[in-house]
Amino acid sequence: MNSSSTQYLNSKRMEVYEPMNPFSMWGDFKGNIYQDAAMIIEVDAKLENQLSEDNSHTTHGPSNQCDQEASKPVDKVLRRLAQNREAARKSRLRKKAYVQQLEASRLKLLHLEQELEQTKAQCALMRGGVNASQLGFPGAATHAGIAAFEIEYEQWVDLQNKKTNNLKTALNSGMDDTELDRLVQDALNHYANLFNIKATVAKADVCYLISGVWKTSIERLFLWIGGFRPSELLKVLVPQLQLLDHQSHDLYNLIQACQQAEDSLSQGMEKLQQTLAEAVACGQALGGGCYEMRNAMDKLEELVRLVIQADYVRHETLQQTLRNLTPRQAAQGLISLGEYLQRLRDLSSTWAMRLCEPA
Amino acid sequence: MEKIQSLTSHNGVVIFTKSTCCLCYAVTVLFQELRVNPIVYEIDQDPEGREMEKALLKIGCSSPVPAVFIGGKLVGSTNEVMSLHLSGSLIPLLKPYQLLS
């Protein structure tokens, strides 16, 4: 016997239960009801028409339950409400997690689409069949230069992480100093490669390089003329090394000299900004902007020299640092540097995920 | 070139620059920071500027400006100055010309 009102929904997602007719319940679910701890009947305004059952009830007939309904304790109702709230809260959390996942996937998709476009442009050029000007949009050659840089830079980062790991393994394996030194030199060369590819893109579009868009968001917080401040990196790394007194002394002097070099380049940058601003302003005032704008364009060429000079200081500082260290110390320093930079990138990813959360 | 020769032999620290060059400015600032007051000679303001530029390249300066001379001898351009400073070798060279402060 089954009444039409019997709809016993025991869904895992939503723990909501329909009111039941006790007679039909007996007929359909005899013996099972009391074992199912999740069985709760939803309470609505018409409480007196409903029955609630749980494990503590004995297997009596409906009459017992009818008697109890009028004096149905409030705490059962409260417990039911609490359980519903909990279920709803869990449901919201699940939804939130799902949306976060979707947002992350969306960002990844956008990023992949961008990469694809750039790779296509780059491939078109590399096949040789396409002249940069044939790519059909202004600044195509620059765009290709940037696309090439982004691919090379990404490969550079991957390789850097691999080399850092190799160094770490080598250091922990008790490799001898000569071999270790070879790995150190290899890692140094890899940094030299970075400065080379940066120089190439500086000539293609210095504004792109100096803007730091090619770096992750957290790395960009530390941006100084198209890269990191070498003195700041040294200050992070030196405490992580076990140094002899004379080494500490030398490195301290290096940090100071590096800061002075950085300051002089910073002032060079300020001077450049000032003269650029003047050149642009004059162009407007004179109306015949030709001469002044050419002047302004020359200033931008100065910017290329400045950025390349900053990279030179970075490279020299790194080399000078390692010259003062034993192979083991140098390896440790390079490992610390590599790991630090990667942690900044990882933090950027975490940060990006954070921004995906629904408000 | 005689002009360069006479300027550099009669003065302790000389930097040949161009008024538009920001790296020249940077090197000048660095020297001032190290308590040296270099003679700054703007070759683009000199009628013989072109010849001077060629001469500087000829005597081995990697880039015509800035061209740094200490004690009459060519030190080099920005790269050389930066390398020397980072290796701690610049200050000893400048010592005779540092101002007392």
Side-chain angles (χ1 to χ4, degrees), chain A residues 57-173:
Chain A
H57 281 200
T58 53
T59 54
H60 285 323
S63 52
N64 251 4
Q65 289 146 355
C66 287
D67 284 345
Q68 286 168 8
E69 71 182 19
S71 57
K72 200 42 67 180
V74 169
D75 60 54
K76 289 224 192 306
V77 171
L78 290 178
R79 188 165 57 120
R80 154 63 58 72
L81 291 176
Q83 282 166 331
N84 278 355
R85 272 201 297 279
E86 184 58 29
R89 190 180 77 88
K90 284 186 184 156
S91 174
R92 280 196 296 277
L93 283 177
R94 277 195 298 269
K95 180 180 173 185
K96 186 173 174 178
Y98 181 62
V99 170
Q100 262 180 317
Q101 234 187 346
L102 279 181
E103 285 292 310
S105 301
R106 188 178 70 87
L107 277 183
K108 182 121 179 73
L109 179 63
L110 272 174
H111 181 72
L112 285 171
E113 281 178 351
Q114 260 182 328
E115 267 190 71
L116 186 61
E117 279 312 305
Q118 286 165 355
T119 312
K120 277 188 196 165
Q122 179 56 14
C123 287
L125 278 180
M126 280 160 80
R127 272 199 301 273
V130 181
N131 187 306
S133 61
Q134 288 174 342
L135 279 177
F137 51 92
T142 303
H143 183 93
I146 291 172
F149 173 78
E150 293 192 339
I151 293 171
E152 284 175 326
Y153 179 66
E154 187 167 336
Q155 288 169 346
W156 186 89
V157 170
D158 274 339
L159 203 46
Q160 199 213 15
N161 287 331
K162 289 197 180 94
K163 287 184 196 283
T164 305
N165 279 333
N166 287 345
L167 264 172
K168 205 166 181 178
T169 313
L171 193 63
N172 293 332
S173 73

Side-chain angles (χ1 to χ4, degrees), chain B residues 14-69:
Chain B
V14 182
I15 310 181
F16 292 97
T17 68
K18 282 188 192 167
S19 52
T20 55
C21 170
C22 63
L23 287 183
C24 299
Y25 183 73
V27 167
T28 311
V29 162
L30 180 63
F31 275 50
Q32 287 164 347
E33 174 66 27
L34 300 177
R35 293 190 289 120
V36 170
N37 260 344
I39 301 292
V40 175
Y41 196 86
E42 289 181 342
I43 66 175
D44 60 332
Q45 304 297 316
D46 186 308
E48 289 181 292
R50 290 269 167 146
E51 286 92 73
M52 292 179 83
E53 194 170 328
K54 284 187 202 150
L56 287 167
L57 283 170
K58 215 169 175 189
I59 57 178
C61 203
S62 48
S63 137
V65 289
V68 177
F69 288 76

